[in-house]
């Protein structure tokens, strides 16, 4: 019976009843073989019986069956996604309970689908389109635009938002993000009202990153005015839970069709411009440009070359002596990184920043760990007692496990920790976490020493400085440059040296370029000096020979 409707089954039932009546009457009335008159009477009675059955069930079964058939058809349409069409009238009339159930079911399914769509496409914190929704809507708008229509994409990254999250909690951070979204909406509404054009498409991509797409723009002056409006709106303090919070933002701008017509191209350009805005001071808007494109290409090329340098082991260390200013003996050497690039030797200033940005500094740092541990182990076997100082990068300082790996490498190489010195810049030292300080203290307990580098270039907290496990403080070259000719510079440097001694540390002057500078430092109490006036950086063999009293002229310079 598969494929038969309920109405067809009702008709079949009536016909079956008529056939049964025909047989019964024929058997009851015929004495033998029925003749034509008996068959006719039986047929008439069968027809009457079938008609009575049909008319008796037509209103009840047949009409209900038709309504149920209509319900089945409507449910089939619903299974294909049509939840909006009306319930057929015959279902409402003949099976009202079924109609009500279907209406409730469709309403419930519609609400659930709407909720799923909202979760999938709308950011729950700001009620803005999320990354997926923004991209879909923006791509559709770009595809339907006339070829030369001007449009702009703004990539907005909040400044100092992480500090709010870290100090005030994620709940406050979420409230702040919601308020940022409201201010961006207000800017968009003002732009739409002033230009009598469509409001911009605003989205939250992730974290503290927002986007605004303006599908219609007059000229560059319009986008500059919009950027100023966004910067002003986000620079105003946010009042949350009785506290005024100031953050600000950095904006990258990409223009259509100048910087691309596909969303992928515009996003890449705006993102690059935003990072440039952050790198050049924050709180500003930066347009993507050919110059910026060349800088980005250069950074990408440098990143590729750095990866190749790691794979091909193109890095090496050279050593610059540090000597006691009074006795003249070599007390330590600073290990300095060199890159043997195919085009020539490169100094750290030309690549370290990019290595930090890409995270490659971690791999380079791991190589340095192994090299330093092996070098110190070798020096220990040779009876060399000069310390070897290495610089710690910001990325390494963020990870306490760097110091644990360094300690493990020293122990594995059987390298005496007393010959290791860690150099940390003044600005980084002021922001060391307790975990990092504890890791450094473990190395210091093994015998290693710790030095603060570039002292005098940042803002130090004396209380923090006193609490740090520090043995030596290196005066930055900017403090020393004028001491031979400027009395004020000499007085300041002498006061700083007195402060260093008051903290129980040695004072080291670095970047010494003239004998006159060395002479002044000797008079005002500096303990150790380092610089080109003392010795140039040199390879390991040259340093060993130099430290043992051989002339610098015989050493191989790096």
């Amino acid at each position: 019976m598969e494929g038969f409707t309920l109405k067809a089954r009702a008709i079949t039932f009536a016909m079956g009843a008529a056939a049964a009546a025909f047989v019964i009457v024929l058997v009851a009335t015929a004495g033998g073989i029925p003749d034509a008159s008996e068959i006719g009477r039986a047929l008439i009675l069968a027809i009457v019986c079938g008609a009575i059955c049909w008319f008796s069930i037509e209103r009840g079964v047949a009409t209900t069956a038709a309504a149920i058939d209509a319900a089945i058809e409507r449910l089939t349409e619903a299974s294909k996604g049509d939840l909006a069409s009306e319930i057929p009238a015959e279902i409402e009339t003949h099976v009202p309970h079924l109609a009500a159930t279907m209406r409730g079911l469709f309403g419930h399914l519609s609400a659930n689908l709407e909720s799923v769509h909202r979760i999938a496409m709308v950011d729950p914190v700001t009620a803005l389109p999320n990354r997926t929704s923004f991209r879909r809507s923006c791509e559709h708008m770009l595809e339907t635009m006339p070829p030369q229509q001007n449009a702009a994409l703004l990539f907005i990254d909040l400044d100092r938002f992480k500090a709010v999250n870290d100090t005030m909690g994620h709940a406050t951070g979420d409230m702040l993000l919601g308020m940022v979204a409201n201010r961006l909406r207000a800017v968009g509404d003002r732009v739409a009202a002033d230009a009598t054009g469509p409001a911009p498409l605003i989205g939250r991509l992730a974290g503290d990153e927002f986007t605004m797409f303006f599908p219609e723009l007059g000229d560059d002056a319009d986008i500059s005015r919009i950027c100023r409006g966004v910067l002003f709106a986000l620079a105003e303090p946010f009042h949350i839970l009785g506290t005024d919070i100031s953050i600000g933002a950095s904006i990258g701008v990409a223009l259509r069709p100048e910087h691309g017509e596909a969303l992928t191209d515009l996003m890449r350009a705006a993102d690059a411009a935003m990072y440039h805005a952050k790198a050049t001071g924050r709180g500003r808007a930066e347009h993507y440009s050919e110059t910026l494109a060349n800088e980005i290409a250069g950074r990408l090329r440098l990143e590729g070359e750095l990866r190749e340098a790691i794979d091909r082991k193109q890095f090496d260390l050279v050593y610059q002596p540090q000597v006691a200013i009074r006795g003249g003996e070599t007390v330590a050497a600073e290990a300095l990184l060199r890159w043997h690039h195919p085009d020539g030797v490169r100094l750290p200033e030309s690549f370290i920043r990019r290595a930090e940005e890409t995270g490659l500094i971690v791999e380079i740092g791991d190589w340095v760990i192994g090299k330093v541990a092996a070098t110190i182990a070798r020096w220990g076997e040779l009876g060399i007692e000069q310390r070897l100082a290495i610089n710690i990068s910001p990325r390494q300082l963020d990870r306490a496990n760097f110091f644990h790996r360094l300690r493990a490498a020293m122990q594995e190489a059987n390298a005496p920790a007393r010959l290791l010195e860690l150099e940390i810049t003044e600005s980084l030292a002021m922001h060391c976490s307790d975990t990092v300080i504890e890791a450094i203290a473990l190395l210091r307990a093994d015998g290693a020493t710790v030095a603060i580098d570039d002292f005098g270039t940042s803002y130090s907290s004396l209380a923090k400085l006193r609490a740090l496990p520090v043995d030596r403080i290196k005066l930055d070259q900017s403090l020393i440059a004028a001491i031979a000719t400027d009395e004020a510079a000499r007085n300041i440097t002498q006061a700083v040296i007195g402060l260093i001694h008051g903290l129980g540390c040695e004072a080291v002057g670095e970047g010494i370029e003239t004998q006159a500078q060395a002479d002044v430092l000797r008079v005002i109490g500096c303990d150790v000096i380092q610089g080109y006036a003392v010795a140039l950086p040199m390879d390991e063999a040259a340093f060993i020979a130099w430290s043992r009293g051989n002339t610098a002229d015989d050493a191989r310079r790096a």
Side-chain angles (χ1 to χ4, degrees), residues 329-348:
E329 69 275 12
T330 305
V331 296
E334 181 177 357
L336 302 171
L337 189 63
R338 295 291 184 266
W339 177 10
H340 293 282
H341 190 275
D343 295 337
V345 176
R346 293 191 178 181
L347 302 181

Side-chain angles (χ1 to χ4, degrees), residues 533-553:
V534 176
L536 298 176
M538 57 191 75
D539 63 24
E540 183 181 355
F543 170 74
I544 293 174
W546 193 93
S547 65
R548 287 176 172 173
N550 292 342
T551 63
D553 292 336

Side-chain angles (χ1 to χ4, degrees), residues 66-88 91 95 97-107 109:
I68 292 175
D69 289 338
I72 292 172
E73 290 181 10
R74 181 66 189 88
L75 288 169
T76 302
E77 293 171 1
S79 70
K80 297 176 181 178
D82 179 12
L83 299 175
S85 297
E86 294 293 329
I87 304 294
I91 304 176
V95 200
H97 294 299
L98 178 58
T101 301
M102 290 173 65
R103 234 185 341 266
L105 174 64
F106 293 168
L109 287 174

Side-chain angles (χ1 to χ4, degrees), residues 107-125:
H108 187 62
L109 287 174
S110 295
N112 284 346
L113 288 174
E114 203 171 299
S115 177
V116 169
H117 180 271
R118 187 164 53 252
I119 292 171
M121 307 300 284
V122 177
D123 173 53
V125 175

Side-chain angles (χ1 to χ4, degrees), residues 30 60 65 104 108 115 129 141 179 197 240 248 263 266 295-296 299 302 333 354 358 372 469 478 542:
H108 187 62
S115 177
M141 295 170 74
M179 296 173 75
I240 301 177
L263 179 60
L266 294 175
E295 289 180 9
I296 293 170
R299 289 201 297 268
L302 179 57
R354 187 58 183 162
T358 59
V372 166
S478 61

Side-chain angles (χ1 to χ4, degrees), residues 263-282:
L263 179 60
T264 301
D265 296 331
L266 294 175
M267 289 283 282
R268 186 185 301 114
D271 185 47
M274 183 276 294
Y275 276 105
H276 188 67
K278 275 197 175 296
T280 52
R282 302 190 176 194

